[in-house]
Each structure stands twice: as C-alpha cells, then as structure tokens.
C-alpha cells in the first residue's frame, strides 16, 4: 500500500508540475493519512511539498508546511471521530484543496476543488478495496 | 494517548523543518539544490508536457494556426517595408534594423486547469541563468511576444505570459498608432487600456509593443502582441478599451525564444 501511494504521489507530482493546476497531491495525502494512519505520511507530505514548490517555482517550504499541517489536523481529528468514511474524505479534500488553491492560485478554485474531491473519493474507494482484498487474501 | 503524543512530536519536527527550509531557501546558497532538483525532473516534465501537447488539438489545426501567424507577420513586414520605402523616399534616411540575440528554449511545463484546453498563466522553460537568461527578458515566438521571464534558476526559468493578470506593457496599434497599455486579464484574455478617446482604435488592427526598458523588464519594440477583437468606446469615459487576442496559442507552444538584448 505504501509503495502504491508513493508511485501515485510521484505521478501526481509530475502531472502537477508540468500540465495541470489541479491539486492532485492533496487528495493522495488525505487518503494516505486516513488509510495508513502512519507517521510516514508526514515524511511524504514534507518531501513532496518541497519538490512541488521547487518544480513549480513557488516559495520553497510553503506547500510542505501546508501538507504537514493537513496531515496533523486529520490525525488529530481521528481521535474524536471516525475518519475512514467517504464523507470525511469528501469534506477534508474539498476544504484542503480549496484553501491550498486560494493561497497559491487565482482562477477556477471551486471547480478545481470539486475535481480534487472527486479524485480523492475515487482513490479512497479504490485503495480501500485493494486493502480489503489484500486482507481477505491473507 | 501515546500515539497522539508521538504525532505531535513528529508534526512539530516537520513543521520546524519546513519552516527552516522556507527560510534557508531564501538564501542564494541553497539555489544549487533547487537547480539540481529541477534538472533531474525536467526531462520527465518535458516528456509529459510533449505527450499532452499531442492531445486536444488536431495536427491540421496546428499547421493552419502556424501558417496564419506566418502570414500575419508577412503582411506586417510588407506594410513595414512600404512605410520604410516611403520614409526613405521622403527623407533619404535609413533606419537601422534592430539586432537580436535569441536563446532557444523548450517549454517543459505549462500547468493549466484543463491541459490543452484552458490557457496557462505561465510557462517553465529548460533554459536558465547558465544560458544567459535573466529576470525581465522578453520571450518571443515568430515575432510575437509570449511574455517576460519572471524567475530564473540555473537551468530553468519561469515565464509570465502576456495574458497573465499581473502582466502589463506599453503598446501601440499598427495602423492607427494609438498608444495604450496592454493588460493581461487571465484565462487567455487581455485588453488594450488607457487609450485616450481622441485616438482611433480599429477592429482587426494589430497591437505591437512600444518597447520599454527599466531595471526589471526589457521588452523590445515592434513585437506583435495580438489583434483587436472589439472596441469599447464610451464618450463619458476617460479612456477607451479594446479586447485583444494573441495570434499565438499559448497552450500548444513547445519552443520559445528568449531575447538576450536588442
């Protein structure tokens, strides 16, 4: 699962830095945090935030600050509520994408946030099934 | 509870690290790190960008658009020659053609909302300070202005397109010689603003750069900015405004030229 998430993050980084302004890394980080609940997600958020900033000529460190904070918020939220649900993925991906785009971009923020949410939801359902299948096989 | 405490420590660790990196990257000693990362990823970015270029636009349309740009420039050149000839006959004077030194650069990234359909606000090219690129240099393609260099690292540079909402340049219309300021509006649009009512604006007239140079930008004169689509002239307003469209399709540019000097 961790390897799959790493591959998805690399693909998202390449796409986000060359062809699209859609936030692709955010839904993957959100889904990874919810499914893995592991400290490795902090490292992924930090590294991919730095790489994204360098490749898109943003102020280096800002994206990693944002992503690290996002991972922490989700993990804090987990103490009180159930986060492994589609509704939480939709809620968290939409608001995190919206705030991220509000900081770094200008146009089509809402539409882009909705698309990121959709990506997050599809990814969550797909990875949850993969994880479920793996447990079943084991 | 233990797990939560661990997360707080990890979070604080990465938060401090991110903040440190944020501060340290402001210093020029960390520039090689950025340059190294950019040089490592740029071949893959170029590949992805060139693959996406193939989608969304038929080759035939691309060829026609290129031909259209060439023809527009030829008309412009011909009209300039006629005007020059007339001036020569009248004044027996010859104007020196401007010399240009261009740096060819490949577009490695042009992030837009929907790749190939919506227009990007900026481009990233594979030439940087090592190739002589500096912030403020103008970027052209077939005598058309593309934008200006906003940031330059060692191996790559970021170009702000003329349609970017932060872009503005002094300009002049080709036929009517009306002067104004071209302002990018974002989403591939721009306007010719600050044109006094006494001057004439004509639909279909070409808008050229007037040429400006200061410490921050260096835009050479007589570059084609675009064509006037519509004019909004209201007698009660102080200025008239025209909608201008570039002859270039920025979402399908693969090569641009950076003007080193003129």
């Amino acid at each position: 699962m961790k390897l799959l998430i790493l591959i998805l993050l690399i693909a998202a980084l390449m796409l986000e830095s060359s062809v699209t302004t859609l936030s692709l890394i955010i839904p993957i980080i959100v889904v990874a945090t919810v499914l893995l609940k592991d400290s490795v997600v902090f490292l992924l958020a930090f590294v991919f935030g730095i790489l994204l900033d360098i490749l898109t000529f943003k102020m280096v460190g800002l994206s990693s600050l944002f992503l690290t904070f996002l991972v922490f918020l989700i993990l804090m939220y987990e103490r009180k509520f159930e986060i492994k649900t589609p509704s939480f993925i939709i809620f968290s991906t939409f608001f995190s994408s919206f705030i991220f785009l509000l900081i770094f971009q200008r146009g089509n923020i809402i539409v882009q946030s909705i698309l990121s949410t959709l990506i997050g939801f599809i990814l969550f359902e797909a990875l949850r099934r993969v994880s479920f299948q793996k447990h079943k096989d084991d | 509870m233990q797990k939560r405490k661990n997360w707080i420590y990890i979070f604080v660790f990465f938060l401090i690290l991110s903040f440190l990196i944020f501060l340290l990257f402001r210093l020029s000693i960390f520039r090689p790190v950025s340059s190294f990362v950019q040089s490592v990823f740029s071949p893959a970015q170029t590949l992805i960008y060139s693959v996406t270029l193939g989608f969304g636009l038929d080759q035939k349309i691309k060829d026609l658009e290129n031909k259209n740009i060439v023809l527009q420039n030829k008309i412009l050149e011909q009209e300039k020659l006629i005007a020059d000839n007339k001036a020569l006959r009248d004044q027996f004077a010859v104007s020196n053609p401007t010399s240009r030194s261009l740096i060819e650069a490949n577009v490695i990234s042009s992030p837009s909302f929907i790749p190939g359909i919506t227009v990007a606000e900026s481009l990233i090219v594979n030439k940087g300070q090592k190739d002589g690129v500096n912030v403020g240099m103008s970027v052209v393609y077939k005598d058309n202005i593309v934008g200006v260099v906003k940031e330059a690292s060692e191996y790559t540079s970021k170009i702000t397109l003329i349609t970017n909402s932060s872009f503005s340049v002094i300009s002049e219309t080709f036929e009517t010689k009306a002067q104004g300021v071209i302002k990018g509006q974002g989403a591939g649009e721009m306007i010719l603003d600050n044109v006094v009512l006494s001057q004439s604006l004509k639909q279909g007239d070409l808008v050229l750069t007037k040429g400006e140079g200061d410490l921050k930008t260096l835009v050479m004169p007589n570059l084609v900015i675009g064509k006037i689509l519509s004019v909004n002239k209201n007698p009660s307003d102080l200025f008239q405004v025209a909608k201008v469209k570039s002859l270039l399709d920025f979402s399908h540019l693969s090569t641009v030229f950076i003007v080193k000097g003129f």
Side-chain angles (χ1 to χ4, degrees), chain B residues 148-262:
Chain B
V148 289
V149 178
K150 181 89 186 290
E151 282 172 65
S153 69
E154 264 184 277
Y155 301 104
T156 54
S157 306
K158 187 179 184 179
I159 296 160
T160 298
L161 293 177
I162 50 170
T163 51
N164 191 302
S165 47
S166 65
F167 186 88
S168 66
V169 69
I170 300 167
S171 57
E172 189 179 59
T173 57
F174 179 68
E175 277 182 48
T176 60
K177 305 286 172 207
Q179 289 184 18
V181 179
I182 280 284
K183 291 175 182 171
Q185 300 291 292
E189 292 185 357
M190 55 187 159
I191 55 162
L192 174 62
D193 203 356
N194 294 47
V195 181
V196 289
L197 293 178
S198 58
Q199 290 186 313
S200 155
L201 287 178
K202 207 174 111 189
Q203 197 177 335
D205 195 0
L206 288 173
V207 185
L208 311 175
T209 54
K210 186 93 173 91
E212 57 183 284
D214 54 38
L215 290 171
K216 281 181 181 172
T217 52
L218 200 69
V219 178
M220 63 181 299
N222 295 322
L223 291 173
V224 180
I225 296 172
K227 205 189 228 179
I228 295 179
L229 287 182
S230 61
V231 181
N232 186 7
K233 190 176 184 179
N234 196 339
S236 60
D237 289 342
L238 201 58
F239 299 112
Q240 53 184 320
V241 182
K243 233 181 182 184
V244 178
K245 188 165 172 44
S246 174
L247 305 178
L248 299 172
D249 180 2
F250 297 121
S251 57
H252 289 89
L253 281 177
S254 56
T255 308
V256 291
F257 297 90
I258 300 163
V259 185
K260 264 210 268 189
F262 57 90

Side-chain angles (χ1 to χ4, degrees), chain A residues 2-15:
Chain A
K2 281 176 189 169
L3 184 71
L4 185 62
I5 283 166
L6 183 69
I7 293 166
L8 284 170
L9 277 170
I10 293 168
L13 175 76
M14 295 317 300
L15 288 172

Side-chain angles (χ1 to χ4, degrees), chain A residues 58-70:
Chain A
K58 286 186 194 125
M59 275 200 253
V60 182
L62 274 186
S63 293
S64 53
L65 266 172
F66 180 87
L67 292 173
T68 310
F69 194 67
L70 175 68

Side-chain angles (χ1 to χ4, degrees), chain A residues 11-127:
Chain A
L13 175 76
M14 295 317 300
L15 288 172
E16 218 175 314
S17 65
S18 55
V19 289
T20 183
T21 54
L22 263 176
S23 53
L24 301 171
I25 288 177
I26 287 177
I28 300 171
I29 289 290
V30 170
V31 172
T33 313
V34 168
L35 291 177
L36 296 175
K37 289 177 193 168
D38 194 323
S39 55
V40 78
V41 188
F42 277 109
L43 182 70
L44 290 174
F46 172 75
V47 172
F48 280 89
I50 299 277
L51 290 174
L52 184 67
D53 286 340
I54 290 174
L55 295 178
T56 54
F57 281 81
K58 286 186 194 125
M59 275 200 253
V60 182
L62 274 186
S63 293
S64 53
L65 266 172
F66 180 87
L67 292 173
T68 310
F69 194 67
L70 175 68
V71 173
F72 176 67
L73 274 182
I74 294 170
L75 292 175
M76 289 298 283
Y77 203 79
E78 193 246 346
R79 309 303 299 174
K80 288 185 178 176
F81 304 97
E82 176 56 43
I83 61 167
K84 240 180 182 171
T85 61
S87 54
F88 178 79
I89 294 291
I90 290 169
F91 169 81
S92 54
T93 313
F94 181 80
F95 279 100
S96 51
S97 300
F98 184 81
I99 294 164
F100 186 81
L101 292 168
L102 204 66
I103 298 167
F104 295 108
Q105 273 182 46
R106 283 174 193 149
N108 301 313
I109 291 172
I110 293 174
V111 185
Q112 290 194 67
S113 304
I114 291 168
L115 282 172
S116 293
T117 309
L118 195 70
I119 292 165
F121 174 72
I122 293 166
L123 194 70
F124 174 70
E125 287 298 330
L127 289 179

Side-chain angles (χ1 to χ4, degrees), chain B residues 19-32:
Chain B
F19 197 69
L20 270 174
I21 280 180
F22 176 73
L23 293 175
L24 288 171
F25 267 83
R26 306 279 82 76
L27 306 170
S28 56
I29 50 162
F30 276 83
R31 189 163 274 187

Side-chain angles (χ1 to χ4, degrees), chain B:
Chain B
M1 194 64 195
Q2 186 60 39
K3 207 175 180 183
R4 187 181 173 182
K5 266 188 180 175
N6 285 343
W7 281 336
I8 290 170
Y9 293 138
I10 295 164
F11 166 65
V12 171
F13 171 74
F14 281 109
L15 194 74
I16 293 167
L17 205 62
S18 299
F19 197 69
L20 270 174
I21 280 180
F22 176 73
L23 293 175
L24 288 171
F25 267 83
R26 306 279 82 76
L27 306 170
S28 56
I29 50 162
F30 276 83
R31 189 163 274 187
V33 180
S34 300
S35 301
F36 174 73
V37 173
Q38 283 161 352
S39 61
V40 165
F41 281 93
S42 75
Q45 283 178 294
T46 313
L47 182 75
I48 291 167
Y49 180 69
S50 48
V51 166
T52 52
L53 266 185
F55 296 114
L57 195 71
D58 195 36
Q59 188 59 40
K60 224 173 180 180
I61 299 169
K62 262 194 231 176
D63 292 344
L64 284 171
E65 278 181 347
N66 277 332
K67 272 183 191 167
N68 191 30
I69 293 165
V70 173
L71 286 173
Q72 288 275 8
N73 286 334
K74 274 189 180 166
I75 292 168
L76 196 67
E77 266 173 37
Q78 200 183 8
E79 286 183 27
K80 267 185 206 165
L81 280 172
I82 293 166
D84 280 353
N85 200 6
K86 193 175 179 290
L88 275 168
R89 275 191 219 162
D90 290 348
Q91 298 173 22
F92 301 100
V94 183
S95 59
N96 289 321
T98 51
S99 63
R100 301 179 204 176
S101 52
L102 303 171
I103 305 166
E104 189 189 350
N106 291 327
V107 179
I108 58 169
S109 151
S110 169
S112 66
F113 174 29
I114 305 166
I117 297 168
T118 52
V119 180
E121 294 279 290
S122 57
L123 303 175
I124 294 171
V125 294
N126 68 342
K127 293 287 157 75
Q129 286 172 333
K130 282 224 163 170
D131 308 285
V133 179
N134 278 318
V135 173
M137 285 178 170
S138 47
V139 182
V140 297
Y141 181 75
K142 290 181 182 170
D143 280 343
N144 289 256
I145 186 166
V146 173
V148 289
V149 178
K150 181 89 186 290
E151 282 172 65
S153 69
E154 264 184 277
Y155 301 104
T156 54
S157 306
K158 187 179 184 179
I159 296 160
T160 298
L161 293 177
I162 50 170
T163 51
N164 191 302
S165 47
S166 65
F167 186 88
S168 66
V169 69
I170 300 167
S171 57
E172 189 179 59
T173 57
F174 179 68
E175 277 182 48
T176 60
K177 305 286 172 207
Q179 289 184 18
V181 179
I182 280 284
K183 291 175 182 171
Q185 300 291 292
E189 292 185 357
M190 55 187 159
I191 55 162
L192 174 62
D193 203 356
N194 294 47
V195 181
V196 289
L197 293 178
S198 58
Q199 290 186 313
S200 155
L201 287 178
K202 207 174 111 189
Q203 197 177 335
D205 195 0
L206 288 173
V207 185
L208 311 175
T209 54
K210 186 93 173 91
E212 57 183 284
D214 54 38
L215 290 171
K216 281 181 181 172
T217 52
L218 200 69
V219 178
M220 63 181 299
N222 295 322
L223 291 173
V224 180
I225 296 172
K227 205 189 228 179
I228 295 179
L229 287 182
S230 61
V231 181
N232 186 7
K233 190 176 184 179
N234 196 339
S236 60
D237 289 342
L238 201 58
F239 299 112
Q240 53 184 320
V241 182
K243 233 181 182 184
V244 178
K245 188 165 172 44
S246 174
L247 305 178
L248 299 172
D249 180 2
F250 297 121
S251 57
H252 289 89
L253 281 177
S254 56
T255 308
V256 291
F257 297 90
I258 300 163
V259 185
K260 264 210 268 189
F262 57 90

